[in-house]
Amino acid sequence: MSSIIIIVLMIAFMYFFMIRPQQKQRKEHQSMVNHLKKGDQVVMISRLHGVIDEINTTDQTVTIDCEGVYLTFDLSAIARVIPSKAQAAEAQPASQAAASEEPASEASDAPASEAAPASESAEAADDQKPAESDSADADK
C-alpha cells in the first residue's frame, strides 16, 4: 500500500514541477508568436538579432532582416521579442509611478529604529578598513 502512495506522490511531483511549468511556457511562447507582426525586433534561439520582414503562417516560417541579410527560420526559433521604443516608453511611466509610490509607503511604515542598524553597520565597516590596512603595512 505504501509503495502505491509513493508512486502516486512521485507522479504528482513530476506533474507540478516539470510538466505543468513546461506547458505554461509553451502557451506563453505560442501567444508571443501569434502576436508577431512585420517590423518587430526579435532575438532567435541562436541569439541572432533581427527585424521581422515576412511571416508565413502556412509554412510556419518567418523571414528575418539582419542588416540586409534575409534569413528564414521556423516560428518556433524565435526566443523573444524586443519591445520597440514606443512600447518601452509607454511601459516606463507606469513602472516609474509604481516605483515612486512604493518607497514613500515603505518609508512611512518603517520605524526609525530600523534605520539605525544600517548606519551602525556602515560605521563598523569603516572601522575595519584601517585595521586591514595596518595589517597590510605590517606584512611589508
Side-chain angles (χ1 to χ4, degrees):
M1 181 68 174
S2 65
S3 62
I4 293 174
I5 293 173
I6 291 174
I7 291 173
V8 169
L9 288 175
M10 287 176 52
I11 291 171
F13 178 81
M14 286 178 50
Y15 175 76
F16 283 108
F17 289 102
M18 294 173 64
I19 298 169
R20 191 167 175 232
Q22 186 177 14
Q23 288 175 343
K24 184 178 177 183
Q25 284 179 341
R26 190 178 309 128
K27 286 179 184 178
E28 288 174 359
H29 185 265
Q30 187 63 40
S31 173
M32 177 194 66
V33 168
N34 290 339
H35 290 95
L36 290 175
K37 60 187 178 298
K38 184 177 179 176
D40 283 347
Q41 292 183 348
V42 294
V43 178
M44 308 306 289
I45 57 175
S46 61
R47 303 298 176 234
L48 178 72
H49 293 245
V51 178
I52 294 178
D53 185 60
E54 178 185 346
I55 300 173
N56 187 343
T57 55
T58 58
D59 293 338
Q60 295 293 309
T61 60
V62 62
T63 303
I64 305 295
D65 177 12
C66 300
E67 297 182 6
V69 178
Y70 294 90
L71 303 168
T72 303
F73 290 95
D74 287 339
L75 281 173
S76 61
I78 297 175
R80 63 186 172 99
V81 177
I82 300 172
S84 66
K85 292 180 182 180
Q87 291 173 345
E90 291 174 3
Q92 191 175 12
S95 63
Q96 286 178 348
S100 65
E101 291 174 5
E102 288 178 14
S105 64
E106 290 176 4
S108 63
D109 294 340
S113 62
E114 289 182 7
S119 62
E120 290 173 4
S121 64
E123 291 173 4
D126 290 339
D127 292 341
Q128 291 177 356
K129 288 180 184 177
E132 291 173 2
S133 64
D134 292 339
S135 64
D137 292 336
D139 292 337
K140 292 180 183 177

